[in-house]
Amino acid sequence: MKGQGDIMRRAKLGWSLVLTISIVSLIGYGIWSFNFVKNNSISAFHYNNTGEINNSTITSTSDENIKDYKNFEGMMSGYGMMGGNGTTALSYLNEDTANKLMENSLKGATVDKKNNTITFSGKDITIVMFGGPETADGKFVIGGLINPTIQVPKSATISLEMVNEDEGMPHGVEITNAAPPYAYMPMMQGGIYDNSFVSPLPAASNDNYPAAVTAFTTDANGTFHYICQYLGHASKGMYGKFIIK
């Protein structure tokens, strides 16, 4: 009986040790899981109904993600901070004026609907882009075409006018040497063609379309892309080719 009692006591001690180790392991795993999720969550920025970003909805605590977000938030805090050297001040257009600007900009250009391409010629070129109109939400529209390929000659002076027709979201444009697919923060990819960008413009409202113009010279041959640099827009398809030759 004494031997059996020793065996039972040893068995109880063994099970107690196993139970203790299991509890400690579970606690350790829980702490590791919490820290892993905390440091590795995918950054998620959400928009409110005015097209602004809600700070409270950032789900990642990664220092680098927060740094990138704060930099972008600072860029968005006032129009013109990231405009090219030739960017004009923000103005507002009505629908008729915007459509007339588009019509005039296409005089002398070749609009190829079949190949979704617009070819401009000459030394002084005006390109008007509509951002996010009702007919093409989340896309660029130029000459009735959605995200068309744009071809321009080398050594031309380009006046690039961005008109935001989206009543729910800011839109901007920049010409970059980065090719798709684009990240959520496309401004972190590739390089920007000198002065060829307009900061994201405020959302439109009541037939008031925010607009601004930037000017640059096409001094390098190549295939580039024009994109909306606002968070998540290029990654969702708001871009097109920009060819200089």
Side-chain angles (χ1 to χ4, degrees):
M1 295 293 294
K2 183 177 180 180
Q4 291 180 349
D6 289 340
I7 292 173
M8 291 181 65
R9 282 195 296 273
R10 291 175 182 174
K12 288 180 179 180
L13 287 173
W15 282 111
S16 296
L17 181 60
V18 170
L19 181 60
T20 300
I21 292 173
S22 298
I23 292 173
V24 171
S25 298
L26 286 172
I27 293 174
Y29 178 76
I31 294 173
W32 176 87
S33 298
F34 175 80
N35 287 327
F36 180 84
V37 172
K38 178 181 177 182
N39 293 316
N40 293 278
S41 296
I42 297 175
S43 177
F45 301 94
H46 300 278
Y47 304 109
N48 60 27
N49 59 5
T50 65
E52 297 172 342
I53 304 170
N54 295 322
N55 294 359
S56 61
T57 57
I58 302 175
T59 61
S60 172
T61 57
S62 165
D63 291 341
E64 194 62 33
N65 284 338
I66 291 176
K67 180 181 177 182
D68 291 342
Y69 170 74
K70 291 299 183 183
N71 288 340
F72 187 82
E73 186 181 46
M75 181 187 77
M76 289 294 295
S77 62
Y79 175 74
M81 293 178 65
M82 288 295 290
N85 292 336
T87 304
T88 63
L90 177 67
S91 61
Y92 286 84
L93 311 177
N94 59 33
E95 185 174 7
D96 288 341
T97 301
N99 288 337
K100 287 178 181 177
L101 282 174
M102 178 67 75
E103 182 181 350
N104 290 335
S105 72
L106 295 171
K107 291 179 179 179
T110 301
V111 179
D112 184 347
K113 294 182 179 180
K114 181 179 179 181
N115 294 305
N116 201 42
T117 299
I118 301 176
T119 303
F120 292 87
S121 59
K123 293 298 182 181
D124 293 296
I125 296 169
T126 297
I127 300 174
V128 178
M129 296 182 169
F130 292 164
E134 290 185 3
T135 56
D137 187 35
K139 300 292 190 297
F140 289 102
V141 173
I142 308 169
L145 304 183
I146 298 175
N147 292 345
T149 294
I150 297 174
Q151 295 184 6
V152 297
K154 185 181 177 182
S155 301
T157 298
I158 308 294
S159 293
L160 178 62
E161 180 157 10
M162 177 69 193
V163 182
N164 187 15
E165 295 193 351
D166 193 333
E167 294 191 359
M169 192 67 62
H171 292 298
V173 63
E174 69 179 36
I175 296 175
T176 175
N177 60 12
Y182 295 105
Y184 193 76
M185 293 183 176
M187 75 292 294
M188 307 301 290
Q189 297 175 255
I192 301 173
Y193 198 96
D194 287 347
N195 296 328
S196 61
F197 53 104
V198 174
S199 297
L201 303 171
S205 63
N206 300 320
D207 195 31
N208 286 311
Y209 300 148
V213 184
T214 190
F216 62 97
T217 301
T218 55
D219 54 5
N221 290 335
T223 297
F224 303 87
H225 284 80
Y226 60 90
I227 67 172
C228 178
Q229 70 272 53
Y230 201 83
L231 296 175
H233 290 190
S235 64
K236 292 180 180 179
M238 196 167 180
Y239 65 84
K241 283 185 178 182
F242 190 89
I243 301 173
I244 302 173
K245 64 178 184 178

